[in-house]
Amino acid sequence: MATMTRSRRSQIQREAAQIRMRGQRRQHDTARIARTIQDTLAEVNALEAWRFALGWSRSQTVAQIAGLYLADGLRPPGLSEPMLCRWEHDADEWPGPEYTVMLCRAYGARPEQLGLARGLAPHTNALFGRPVIRYGRPDMTAYPRGRWEGMEPMTTAAGLPAVRESLHLALLADPMGSAGTAELAEAAVEHYALNYSKHPPQILFNEVREVRQLLAPVVQAGPGTSYGADIQRQVGWLSALLGNLAYHLDDLAGARTHLSAAAAWGERTGDIRLASWAWGAHSMIARTTGRYDTALSHAERGASLAPSGLARAQLHAWALLPALARLQRADDADQALHTALAELETDPSGTAPGRFGFDEPELALHQAEADLALGRHQRARARAEASAAACPDGTGSWTAATLVLAQTEAPDSPQDATQRALHVLDHVPAARLRSTARTRLRDLTRTLPTDHADELTERLRALPAAIDHHGHGHGLLC
């Protein structure tokens, strides 16, 4: 998707509004107004032209579609303004059949008028009288090859609850657990860790919590069995996952509680890697709240427990390095980084995937943030660029690296920094924006000059809260 300047975007919106008003005065219908907008403004595609012809903002379109779902007796799904923006501006992304139906109903148009006919199987046009809404469940016979909003690999959309269901079935057969149950619990933890970034945090939080709850009776009944310690260890790792997820949902008190449970189970079962990771996560939370001395204390505790190799490298780069950088202890921060690199070199298996693993893009991200805190902007920019380039677009790690890169650009290239941040908001649905990304975005608005920060500030104000005042997570149905 080509980057468009803010001034050009505003000019297009003004010209489209003028075309719409002229068309209305001449009593042209919406379709004719939309065609005129497209003919006049080459950058505008059919879908966006129809929205302009109706005079709607993206938020109004989202609200209209939500109203259609409610009228059908369904809860609105996770349609967001960034999703609509991508469909309007990215030729490689378009809505699936269900959203195509709903967009046509909202705009009063046919698929071909909106440029969406390519997204439908030949038989689908017959549905437009009274469409069959599959409510986010993909109709596999209707999907041609290509990228579809809402169509996810098996490990996310269908595989996530299936893991819990398999564990539940095993416990129905053997309620007090077994060695097989312990192995299944370990497999579940591995599944959640490896696929952490593929799920909105709230959805994954609910699944992990339910699995941990399934194991609670087994923990209570079988501490003296041969497999009891193994299940307790997996309960500890599930607690660690919950702590990380709560942190990404901006529930810091909940995160501390879950991480304390994880550390306790790690120490009780002798899993020093679990205990050290939990204290590293405690350090991360303390940094977030500005308690840098406490963050350093937690980081030192975790590093002292961490086994050599990858785990110790992670504690030095993820916990010690940023805490020391925040305290402006540059020499000690450099030493922590040196230790991390040395530990990685001695690890025979190299870097490991997953939430509890550690890889080169994450290391580069921590280096960039430490350099940024120490005022080393050029070094920070180079490391952030390397991290972002090594991460798949749209993932949590890509978002983090891209926003750190924007922070490094803010002092001398505020326009580039602003466009980079807006690009993130256009590409990452609100339900997938972690609390860390929201914090980095807010920090960026305070760094940018006022004339560059205005649009970004408005976009942040429009973001729904990760958890609303009623305790509901945003994007539960994404």
Side-chain angles (χ1 to χ4, degrees):
M1 179 169 60
T3 301
M4 185 182 298
T5 65
R6 183 172 59 175
S7 60
R8 178 53 183 162
R9 187 183 297 111
S10 298
Q11 182 182 1
I12 286 174
Q13 292 172 346
R14 289 194 299 271
E15 291 184 18
Q18 292 169 357
I19 294 170
R20 178 175 60 85
M21 287 187 288
R22 287 198 300 268
Q24 288 175 333
R25 285 196 298 269
R26 297 169 184 170
Q27 298 184 338
H28 294 168
D29 60 17
T30 305
R32 184 170 178 180
I33 295 172
R35 286 196 302 272
T36 304
I37 290 173
Q38 267 197 283
D39 291 340
T40 306
L41 303 169
E43 302 97 324
V44 177
N45 71 2
L47 185 61
E48 188 173 30
W50 269 77
R51 181 171 61 80
F52 284 150
L54 290 164
W56 290 359
S57 65
R58 291 195 184 100
S59 63
Q60 287 173 310
T61 296
V62 171
Q64 289 287 335
I65 289 177
L68 290 173
Y69 273 89
L70 291 171
D72 287 343
L74 299 169
R75 290 179 61 189
L79 178 61
S80 65
E81 293 176 51
M83 289 167 61
L84 183 57
C85 179
R86 293 198 299 276
W87 298 338
E88 291 178 348
H89 293 156
D90 192 334
D92 292 327
E93 295 201 32
W94 61 90
E98 180 177 320
Y99 275 137
T100 296
V101 170
M102 301 309 273
L103 282 163
C104 288
R105 288 177 61 187
Y107 289 171
R110 298 187 305 278
E112 59 268 28
Q113 290 178 304
L114 299 181
L116 301 179
R118 60 178 176 173
L120 297 174
H123 66 274
T124 312
N125 284 332
L127 298 177
F128 279 87
R130 184 63 179 172
V132 176
I133 302 300
R134 295 183 58 79
Y135 203 50
R137 297 184 295 275
D139 178 0
M140 300 310 295
T141 63
Y143 285 104
R145 298 175 64 88
R147 294 165 60 190
W148 287 91
E149 192 71 51
M151 182 178 177
E152 307 235 30
M154 182 69 173
T155 52
T156 58
L160 187 61
V163 169
R164 167 174 46 84
E165 290 159 5
S166 290
L167 181 60
H168 186 204
L169 288 171
L171 289 170
L172 288 177
D174 197 346
M176 295 300 100
S178 64
T181 304
E183 292 178 3
L184 186 53
E186 182 178 3
V189 170
E190 181 180 7
H191 176 86
Y192 298 140
L194 291 175
N195 292 285
Y196 188 99
S197 296
K198 295 180 181 178
H199 308 279
Q202 180 64 57
I203 293 176
L204 185 55
F205 183 96
N206 291 341
E207 285 294 325
V208 174
R209 175 178 174 269
E210 288 192 35
V211 166
R212 189 179 67 165
Q213 191 63 25
L214 285 174
L215 292 172
V218 184
V219 171
Q220 185 177 9
T225 63
S226 59
Y227 55 83
D230 290 336
I231 291 180
Q232 290 175 353
R233 186 160 47 251
Q234 300 314 318
V235 166
W237 281 111
L238 290 167
S239 299
L241 277 167
L242 289 177
N244 212 56
L245 288 160
Y247 172 68
H248 283 145
L249 289 165
D250 206 22
D251 178 9
L252 300 187
R256 291 174 61 188
T257 303
H258 297 307
L259 292 171
S260 293
W265 281 116
E267 292 169 6
R268 178 173 180 174
T269 61
D271 190 337
I272 57 174
R273 181 165 174 254
L274 169 57
S276 65
W277 190 94
W279 284 112
H282 267 303
S283 177
M284 172 181 66
I285 293 172
R287 287 200 314 272
T288 299
T289 55
R291 297 177 294 123
Y292 301 129
D293 288 324
T294 302
L296 180 59
S297 176
H298 291 330
E300 289 173 336
R301 183 170 180 178
S304 69
L305 292 170
S308 62
L310 181 67
R312 189 172 295 169
Q314 183 174 27
L315 262 293
H316 277 78
W318 166 48
L320 275 173
L321 171 63
L324 291 165
R326 288 291 185 175
L327 290 168
Q328 297 300 302
R329 292 171 53 176
D331 290 342
D332 291 333
D334 289 340
Q335 183 57 47
L337 176 59
H338 175 76
T339 301
L341 294 172
E343 289 289 339
L344 277 178
E345 288 180 4
T346 63
D347 193 305
S349 62
T351 57
R355 186 71 250 158
F356 300 113
F358 192 59
D359 55 22
E360 291 182 3
E362 184 181 348
L363 173 60
L365 173 65
H366 298 319
Q367 287 180 263
E369 290 202 288
D371 284 332
L372 189 60
L374 292 168
R376 305 166 176 171
H377 283 76
Q378 290 304 316
R379 286 172 58 175
R381 182 175 302 185
R383 299 314 304 164
E385 285 179 339
S387 181
C391 299
D393 284 2
T395 60
S397 52
W398 172 86
T399 299
T402 301
L403 292 178
V404 172
L405 178 56
Q407 288 175 316
T408 69
E409 294 172 328
D412 53 9
S413 303
Q415 181 65 33
D416 291 342
T418 303
Q419 289 301 321
R420 203 176 294 280
L422 292 173
H423 181 68
V424 167
L425 289 174
D426 287 340
H427 275 71
V428 182
R432 293 180 179 271
L433 273 180
R434 300 170 181 174
S435 65
T436 47
R438 293 167 183 254
T439 297
R440 290 183 177 107
L441 284 163
R442 287 193 294 268
D443 289 345
L444 182 60
T445 62
R446 289 189 284 268
T447 306
L448 289 167
T450 303
D451 58 331
H452 288 89
D454 288 345
E455 182 176 0
L456 180 57
T457 300
E458 288 302 313
R459 291 285 297 273
L460 290 180
R461 285 176 183 159
L463 280 178
I467 302 293
D468 66 22
H469 294 300
H470 303 288
H472 299 142
H474 173 70
L476 286 177
L477 299 173
C478 282

